[in-house]
Amino acid sequence: MSKVKYYYDPDTLSYRKIQRKKRTTFKYAFFFILGTAFFAFIFVFIGSQYVESPKERALKRELQNTQLQFELLNKKMEHAETVLANVAERDNNIYRVYFEANPIPEEQRRAGFGGINRYKSLEGFDNSKLIIESNKRLDILQKQIVVQSKSLDEITKLAEDKEKLLAAIPAIQPVNNKDLTRMASGYGMRTDPFTKVRKMHRGMDFSAPRGTPVYASGDGIVTRADSRSTGYGNHIRIDHGYGYVSLYAHLYKYNVRKNQKVKRGDLIGFVGSTGRSQGPHLHYEIFKDDERINPINFYYGSLTAEEFNKLLEHASLENQSLD
């Protein structure tokens, strides 16, 4: 039971019961509730600032993990960009230069994407700018990879063509040095052995005993192996492609037939003295786009520098040819 309080009334010389007014009661109750609410707010505020809830701790860990993953993604993109830039530099300055292809402009490699806004769906978030920049960076990186991939496909094709070209170009001496009697005559103005008149000798003469092996100087297809060309006697013509044709004249006999495919170094015939010839030798010519050119420039595949210089010295002598 609540205690009943009294006060002494001097007028009546008696004790009277204290009666609390309802208004006062409501006022006390109001201030009590207000004070309780105030202290509760202060407690909650301080607690929210300095004390983490389990949910907040979980969200904080998730955010930290997201930041870590983003940093790792950035490092991976930086590494990929560095590697790709290195490949692009080698592509432009080595591969494409070697295969005589135009370099790919930097603006083409690093071009962005025009037209519609590709990233509209990523707008409106707290970290939209960061997300959009990362996506742009990834898209440009992906495009660079596509450009580089196509470039390497082109280089591969050029390399295959270059390999075929290098194999096709007449690049070796058709008669071995050890089999030569001498290098009888070179390309240029020479004395005709029959008329004794100086005229253009459009090939090289290799003097060698009858039956000496003659080799194909490059890959190709035999287009002729006959004696139906004035002055050449038994002769062979090989079409190497790319505008190159080699001719081997005055042969004793053939070791190939028309339309046969040959490789550089294959035995195709034997030295003889058929046709317009004054003795056993091989008359050798090279055509480029139907024009005769000096064969001396095509022996990089079989001669040392010393041997080539010696051959060049003999080929330069304006002596008498053998055909």
Side-chain angles (χ1 to χ4, degrees):
M1 293 179 63
S2 60
K3 292 182 179 181
V4 179
K5 294 184 178 182
Y6 298 88
Y7 73 95
Y8 180 74
D9 186 355
D11 294 334
T12 61
L13 301 176
S14 63
Y15 288 95
R16 298 179 65 87
K17 188 177 180 180
I18 298 175
Q19 298 289 338
R20 181 179 292 179
K21 297 179 181 180
K22 290 184 178 180
R23 183 177 177 182
T24 303
T25 302
F26 282 121
K27 184 172 69 173
Y28 287 158
F30 172 75
F31 282 113
F32 175 77
I33 294 172
L34 182 63
T36 303
F38 175 76
F39 284 109
F41 172 77
I42 294 296
F43 177 78
V44 171
F45 176 77
I46 294 175
S48 64
Q49 293 296 315
Y50 300 101
V51 180
E52 293 180 346
S53 68
K55 185 176 181 180
E56 286 176 328
R57 285 196 293 270
L59 289 173
K60 187 175 181 180
R61 285 196 300 269
E62 185 176 343
L63 180 60
Q64 289 174 340
N65 182 60
T66 301
Q67 290 174 335
L68 176 62
Q69 293 302 320
F70 184 77
E71 290 175 2
L72 291 175
L73 177 62
N74 262 336
K75 289 182 179 179
K76 288 179 180 178
M77 283 196 293
E78 288 173 3
H79 179 69
E81 287 169 344
T82 302
V83 172
L84 194 58
N86 182 262
V87 173
E89 182 181 3
R90 283 184 290 166
D91 183 34
N92 273 351
N93 299 325
I94 300 177
Y95 308 143
R96 300 186 75 82
V97 170
Y98 178 78
F99 293 108
E100 300 176 357
N102 292 326
I104 298 175
E106 186 64 20
E107 55 270 21
Q108 180 179 340
R109 290 183 183 273
R110 299 193 61 83
F113 300 88
I116 62 172
N117 185 359
R118 298 166 56 91
Y119 311 103
K120 191 172 182 61
S121 61
L122 302 176
E123 295 175 351
F125 300 99
D126 291 340
N127 297 309
S128 288
K129 185 177 180 180
L130 186 64
I131 297 171
I132 290 172
E133 287 301 318
S134 296
N135 276 271
K136 282 183 180 179
R137 194 172 173 186
L138 281 172
D139 286 341
I140 292 174
L141 187 60
Q142 186 176 20
K143 182 178 179 180
Q144 287 179 287
I145 291 172
V146 171
V147 171
Q148 186 59 62
S149 177
K150 290 181 178 180
S151 176
L152 291 177
D153 288 342
E154 182 185 355
I155 292 299
T156 300
K157 180 66 169 57
L158 291 172
E160 291 174 354
D161 292 342
K162 190 86 168 183
E163 186 177 5
K164 291 178 182 177
L165 170 62
L166 292 176
I169 292 176
I172 65 170
Q173 191 171 277
V175 179
N176 286 333
N177 269 348
K178 63 181 180 63
D179 296 328
L180 292 178
T181 303
R182 63 189 178 94
M183 220 297 293
S185 182
Y187 181 95
M189 297 300 295
R190 300 292 184 269
T191 301
D192 186 281
F194 297 98
T195 64
K196 305 303 180 183
V197 174
R198 283 172 59 79
K199 68 175 186 179
M200 188 65 182
H201 185 247
R202 301 187 182 277
M204 296 187 72
D205 292 341
F206 297 92
S207 180
R210 183 173 181 268
T212 298
V214 176
Y215 304 98
S217 55
D219 295 2
I221 298 175
V222 177
T223 56
R224 293 186 65 171
D226 56 57
S227 59
R228 298 190 305 273
S229 189
T230 304
Y232 287 130
N234 295 334
H235 77 290
I236 294 170
R237 299 189 193 210
I238 299 176
D239 185 350
H240 303 279
Y242 305 96
Y244 290 98
V245 174
S246 57
L247 181 148
Y248 313 78
H250 311 306
L251 300 175
Y252 162 56
K253 63 179 180 179
Y254 314 111
N255 194 53
V256 291
R257 62 184 181 280
K258 185 179 179 180
N259 296 325
Q260 179 177 333
K261 290 184 178 181
V262 295
K263 294 286 187 182
R264 179 182 293 151
D266 284 355
L267 176 63
I268 59 173
F270 302 90
V271 170
S273 187
T274 57
R276 192 174 184 272
S277 170
Q278 274 208 331
H281 75 287
L282 172 71
H283 177 79
Y284 177 62
E285 295 182 8
I286 292 180
F287 296 77
K288 178 67 169 76
D289 298 328
D290 297 324
E291 296 289 333
R292 292 181 178 90
I293 57 179
N294 193 344
I296 195 69
N297 299 317
F298 292 85
Y299 297 136
Y300 62 83
S302 60
L303 301 179
T304 65
E306 184 179 351
E307 290 172 333
F308 179 80
N309 288 333
K310 188 174 182 180
L311 179 65
L312 184 62
E313 181 183 347
H314 285 293
S316 300
L317 297 175
E318 295 191 13
N319 54 5
Q320 177 177 292
S321 65
L322 292 177
D323 47 38

